[in-house]
Amino acid sequence: MTDRIADPWGPRTPYPRDGEWPVRVDEHTDGPVEKWIQSACTLCSHGCALDLGVRDGRVVGVRGRSVDRVNHGRLGPKGLYGWQALNADDRLVRPLVRRGGELVEMSWDEAMELVVERSRELLATKGPGSLGFYTSGQLFLEDYYTLALVARGGIGTNHLDGNTRLCTATAGQSLKETFGCDGQPAGLHDIEACDTILHVGINTAETQTVLWMHELDRLRGPDPPRTIVIDPRRTESARAAEVHLAIAPGTNLAVLNGLAQQLLEHGWVDREFVDLHTIGVAALEQTVASYTPERVAEICRVPAEDVRRAAQILGEAERLLTFVLQGVYQSHQATASACAANNLNLLRGMIGRYGAGILQMNGQPTAQNTRETGCNGDLPGFRNWQNEAHVAELASLWNVEPIQIPHWGPPTHALEIFRYAEQGSIEFLWVSGTNPAVSLPELSRIRSILAREQLFLVVSDAYLTETARLADVVLPAALWGEKTGTFTNTDRTVHISEQAVEPPGEARSDMEIFLDYARRLDLRDKDGRPLVKWSTPEECFDAWRECSRGRPCDYTGLSYEKLRGGSGIQWPCNEAAPDGTERLYADHVFPTFPEICEDYGHDVVTGATLSEADFSALAPNGRAILKAAEWTPPHEWAREEYPLSLTTGRTIYHFHTRTRTGRAPELQAAAPDVWAELSSADAERLGVAEGDLLRVSSPRGSVVAPARIRDGREGVVFVPFHYGYWDEGEAGPDGRPRAANELTMTIWDPVSKQPQLKTAAVKVERA
């Protein structure tokens, strides 16, 4: 096999427009394999199908599944090597409880009784609002749905969110604002038919490596798509683009408004589609009229002629496919910008048909499931918390009174959960499968919150992360490959992952842990029966199917049996679409009816929530909503004391906070430490050479990292966010600070509540 560290995308298999992407099976094993078990990769949102190779009760390798619709057998570097973290020597194997300031091993009974005792005490004295739950984008659907029922239907707390708040909250919110409901309109096979690709704040070459392989094979084939990339950095994806708009951080909305202005000015608009299937075009035209190429050039610091060229490419497109990711979601005016990207496809009438559509991409493998099941700011089944009929329907499914399900206000988002913990109103916080002591903004503050004596912190994880080191109780969790469940990727493809091996020691699946918690807490429905009616993953999946019935994310045509053996299947999958649905809105009817929609929408500038009456007055009734907003300067702009702009992001070899990829030898060796990337112009001005040790500082903290000099845009510093302190034996920066979120600030988008991790002012000096 090709060295997939040196050549992460592997050999090319070009194909023509409207052709079929050829199969290429990637495989990496440590010796012979006794049996292969069906699964899919959980190290990005692409959801590449694979088989786990097992020998002597251990996972010893992986191979891509050639029959799968998502990857046609391919795997990226993380997929090929990341499985080795299952066999890491430092896996947690018994519960840990804090005694005398130290974490010591205890039995499951002792640990869970402590968790339940504290829960009961707070419920009796402070009420359900004193308990909070913060979960992941890396568990299985069955884990999430169990947690949603326990937290929302059993305990009755509104404080449940996932780390997908950092990842794809804006993706889901922008889809709700524009189309009335979450769910990606396009499918991955649209790459095979498009003639134009627009990347907005997404570096597919590193964040979704197999997606980039899919794109590269089109670009290397006959009749390649024309490509535009909007990104401050000159990434691998940007190098392959016909036009690269290297905008200043925090100016996404200005450039997208500028592209819309050009489409409207030159008549590159499908007026029949816009008039029949959208509302809001007059307000959009008025808003974007002033965003001429010259004004955009001044705001974004890109050539006006490049704005014109990009707009012309969009205007000449016959099948436009748009990808959006964290460069929008974690930046200034996130939801407004993501909606502005939606606007471009709607103006061109390019949605719901082969090769034309939008993918507001996810960052984590099961981010879609957190949104579907109610673990990331909404009620299960894409139900609207403001809609009493939706709440009553959910209450009937769970057999609880509607008042038991908190819906007096929007579900609490992650940054608010931590603020309530800081203020003391949340005194119990259960963190499962995520590492906020590295991934949340302004880390000095987050560490102080997690270490509060008044906060009872429970952590479920497979490793002793920076967050787990601060916990009162640590519960050893089984990983992917050690449990059975399903998960849904970024284009709505559902895969099953079978248990291949037993978890180490006494580790348990997250679903089992939540079931044990519900049983010990004696949570019951309104008839006095146990609240949670299932005991196996398949029983949970069947219950979820009923929860999704009739909703946009309809799973009723799916089953474990149907998912076994072949390819993944896209929802909605039901009687009307028994084989799944490649793309949404083929009939150009959108779920913007008040009785169906997941959200009544917001003012995308202020975040003000629209009521049902406000939404009904707009009368979208099946039409998409063109949402317009003026660009405003970011909260923190480069200035004399801090003259550079920080942006953070990923490297191809790591995922999240390296809890898994940092334990895979090939991946860790490929990217062992943090770095600070500067433009050659900034490096020359500062007298910095490649490898020099730098201190990057913001008003909140600093990072010490070696310099990388690249041909990027002047005035921007890039620091990857993966690096924390677990492999240095610390929970914080007592030695050399290297976590990018030491620098970032506690500020979030007013609509999606996603933190702005990509706009901060910094200075750089030699360390």
Side-chain angles (χ1 to χ4, degrees), residues 132-181:
F133 296 83
Y134 183 54
T135 189
S136 179
Q138 299 167 61
L139 310 186
F140 286 171
L141 180 153
E142 294 78 0
D143 303 318
Y144 296 130
Y145 189 49
T146 303
L147 174 59
L149 173 54
V150 168
R152 297 200 191 282
I155 290 170
T157 181
N158 213 20
H159 308 323
L160 167 61
D161 203 4
N163 69 5
T164 40
R165 183 63 53 189
L166 320 179
C167 159
T168 62
T170 301
Q173 191 61 50
S174 68
L175 295 170
K176 289 184 282 187
E177 297 291 334
T178 301
F179 305 115
C181 189

Side-chain angles (χ1 to χ4, degrees), residues 309-331:
R309 285 176 57 214
Q312 184 173 354
I313 291 169
L314 297 179
E316 293 172 351
E318 296 177 0
R319 302 179 195 171
L320 169 64
L321 185 59
T322 299
F323 295 97
V324 186
L325 194 59
Q326 311 294 25
V328 170
Y329 307 158
Q330 293 180 346
S331 192

Side-chain angles (χ1 to χ4, degrees), residues 482-504:
E482 299 166 351
K483 59 184 182 180
T484 294
T486 55
F487 54 97
T488 307
N489 83 338
T490 196
D491 85 332
R492 299 172 281 105
T493 299
V494 184
H495 286 110
I496 189 167
S497 179
E498 306 277 12
Q499 182 176 356
V501 296
E502 292 295 323

Side-chain angles (χ1 to χ4, degrees), residues 299-317:
I299 294 170
C300 302
R301 288 179 271 170
V302 293
E305 189 53 39
D306 286 354
V307 178
R308 289 190 175 89
R309 285 176 57 214
Q312 184 173 354
I313 291 169
L314 297 179
E316 293 172 351

Side-chain angles (χ1 to χ4, degrees), residues 42-166:
T42 60
L43 287 168
C44 86
S45 66
H46 204 247
C48 298
L50 54 77
D51 294 325
L52 292 169
V54 177
R55 183 182 71 245
D56 297 330
R58 286 167 61 89
V59 173
V60 294
V62 292
R63 69 179 180 192
R65 289 180 63 82
S66 61
V67 299
D68 195 75
R69 63 173 305 279
V70 171
N71 60 321
H72 292 206
R74 291 163 186 76
L75 297 173
K78 292 190 287 288
L80 282 168
Y81 303 114
W83 58 268
Q84 295 170 99
L86 291 165
N87 303 324
D89 293 335
D90 61 345
R91 287 288 301 273
L92 293 172
V93 295
R94 291 200 76 201
L96 303 174
V97 172
R98 190 165 298 281
R99 289 287 182 261
E102 300 293 327
L103 289 170
V104 298
E105 288 190 353
M106 284 199 178
S107 70
W108 271 100
D109 279 341
E110 291 171 306
M112 289 303 293
E113 280 306 313
L114 283 172
V115 174
V116 170
E117 179 185 358
R118 185 60 177 145
S119 300
R120 282 200 191 105
E121 178 186 340
L122 287 171
L123 286 170
T125 59
K126 303 290 182 67
S130 60
L131 281 73
F133 296 83
Y134 183 54
T135 189
S136 179
Q138 299 167 61
L139 310 186
F140 286 171
L141 180 153
E142 294 78 0
D143 303 318
Y144 296 130
Y145 189 49
T146 303
L147 174 59
L149 173 54
V150 168
R152 297 200 191 282
I155 290 170
T157 181
N158 213 20
H159 308 323
L160 167 61
D161 203 4
N163 69 5
T164 40
R165 183 63 53 189
L166 320 179

Side-chain angles (χ1 to χ4, degrees), residues 222-374:
D223 195 15
R226 305 177 77 180
T227 58
I228 303 162
V229 169
I230 300 174
D231 193 319
R233 299 176 64 217
R234 187 165 173 76
T235 64
E236 193 72 24
S237 312
R239 288 188 184 93
E242 183 174 340
V243 178
H244 173 207
L245 295 169
I247 63 171
T251 65
N252 288 310
L253 184 57
V255 73
L256 292 166
N257 279 350
L259 294 173
Q261 185 271 341
Q262 286 287 285
L263 294 181
L264 289 159
E265 179 179 294
H266 291 280
W268 294 321
V269 175
D270 186 334
R271 282 289 176 180
E272 182 179 5
F273 175 90
V274 169
D275 292 343
L276 286 174
H277 302 298
T278 74
I279 64 170
V281 67
L284 177 65
E285 288 186 272
Q286 183 177 1
T287 299
V288 305
S290 66
Y291 290 85
T292 62
E294 287 71 27
R295 185 182 178 207
V296 171
E298 182 181 353
I299 294 170
C300 302
R301 288 179 271 170
V302 293
E305 189 53 39
D306 286 354
V307 178
R308 289 190 175 89
R309 285 176 57 214
Q312 184 173 354
I313 291 169
L314 297 179
E316 293 172 351
E318 296 177 0
R319 302 179 195 171
L320 169 64
L321 185 59
T322 299
F323 295 97
V324 186
L325 194 59
Q326 311 294 25
V328 170
Y329 307 158
Q330 293 180 346
S331 192
H332 178 55
Q333 295 183 288
T335 303
S337 300
C339 289
N342 295 341
N343 291 344
L344 298 177
N345 274 73
L346 289 172
L347 287 173
R348 298 295 340 274
M350 294 194 182
I351 191 165
R353 58 189 176 89
Y354 189 33
I358 299 157
L359 283 163
Q360 295 277 353
M361 296 289 288
N362 301 336
Q364 293 192 79
T366 58
Q368 192 64 48
N369 296 124
T370 64
R371 301 190 332 233
E372 295 162 6
T373 59

Side-chain angles (χ1 to χ4, degrees), residues 519-538:
R519 179 182 62 79
R520 291 174 187 267
L521 206 53
D522 198 26
L523 297 178
R524 297 189 174 271
D525 66 16
K526 66 182 182 181
D527 295 326
R529 295 178 298 168
L531 177 69
V532 186
K533 309 295 192 296
W534 55 83
S535 59
T536 68
E538 189 166 8

